[in-house]
Amino acid sequence: ENGYSAAKTAIKTERDEVENWKLENNNTKHIEEKIAEFTTRLPNDTEARDDNIKLACKTLSGTIVKSGEEFSLWDVIGCPTKERGYEKAKTFTSDGEVIQSYGGGICQLSTTIYNAVQEVEGLEITERHEHSREVPYIEDGKDAAVSYGNSDLKFINDLDYDVRIDAEVENRKVKITLVRI
């Protein structure tokens, strides 16, 4: 009976240790927390522009910027080409001229990211450019123009945790959500 009792106690102790381990590991699991959100309204423009923004959002969404890393919009999205599904839409040249080029509209996405990042102390903008003229989706001075190979939107994650970027177009709005993970 002593051997049986000792075995029963050992099994109970082992079961308790397993349960405690499970509890400890579940409690140390990271809880996702929204740390910033910003939206811009899509102007009534072309379907091609809207499609470009949707494609860029789909490519971007879920991107994780690890603590200490620098985010680059172009490193994530890549060159907006016809082969990759981008269409020609209105863009501005550096001198303010309006032209049609593949990926037109991506600047609205970069602007939305820029403003979301501005809401979080510990995310530091390292590259940002203003448009050569006013844009209809944000007040002057709060935009972030990008041009593949020339100008980018970059920021460093100086936080002690990783950040996920969620991007979507819904109800004629571009929405960026920054999530602590």
Side-chain angles (χ1 to χ4, degrees):
E1 204 174 353
N2 268 351
Y4 174 74
S5 193
K8 215 167 124 179
T9 303
I11 290 170
K12 182 185 178 323
T13 303
E14 190 175 317
R15 193 177 310 127
D16 288 346
E17 286 175 12
V18 169
E19 288 305 312
N20 285 338
W21 181 87
K22 284 181 186 175
L23 281 172
E24 285 173 22
N25 284 298
N26 283 339
N27 288 339
T28 59
K29 215 177 185 182
H30 291 298
I31 297 171
E32 293 187 356
E33 174 191 357
K34 178 171 70 171
I35 56 173
E37 183 177 281
F38 198 85
T39 61
T40 54
R41 182 168 290 286
L42 285 172
N44 289 325
D45 207 316
T46 63
E47 194 175 316
R49 183 181 186 282
D50 293 355
D51 289 346
N52 289 337
I53 295 171
K54 288 174 186 171
L55 179 56
C57 279
K58 186 177 174 186
T59 305
L60 173 71
S61 197
T63 297
I64 294 172
V65 185
K66 294 194 177 297
S67 177
E69 278 188 351
E70 183 174 48
F71 167 87
S72 158
L73 181 69
W74 290 127
D75 284 353
V76 174
I77 292 178
C79 186
T81 62
K82 180 180 181 178
E83 294 73 27
R84 295 186 61 234
Y86 288 95
E87 303 170 54
K88 282 192 173 186
K90 181 171 60 178
T91 58
F92 302 136
T93 64
S94 58
D95 62 2
E97 183 186 344
V98 178
I99 61 168
Q100 296 287 312
S101 63
Y102 288 104
I106 293 176
C107 289
Q108 182 165 354
L109 176 60
S110 65
T111 293
T112 311
I113 296 166
Y114 168 71
N115 283 276
V117 167
Q118 291 287 88
E119 292 180 12
V120 182
E121 198 171 316
L123 298 180
E124 181 189 337
I125 299 293
T126 55
E127 183 178 347
R128 176 242 174 191
H129 307 270
E130 287 189 31
H131 282 86
S132 54
R133 59 193 297 170
E134 277 190 52
V135 292
Y137 48 83
I138 195 84
E139 57 197 77
D140 199 27
K142 293 192 170 216
D143 60 317
V146 291
S147 171
Y148 191 81
N150 297 312
S151 53
D152 200 351
L153 174 67
K154 295 181 180 182
F155 68 87
I156 291 180
N157 178 0
D158 283 332
L159 300 166
D160 60 357
Y161 54 83
D162 300 343
V163 174
R164 186 183 71 230
I165 303 171
D166 293 335
E168 66 180 331
V169 176
E170 190 175 79
N171 299 324
R172 307 265 334 132
K173 289 181 181 174
V174 179
K175 180 168 83 171
I176 293 294
T177 307
L178 302 178
V179 181
R180 174 187 182 150
I181 57 170

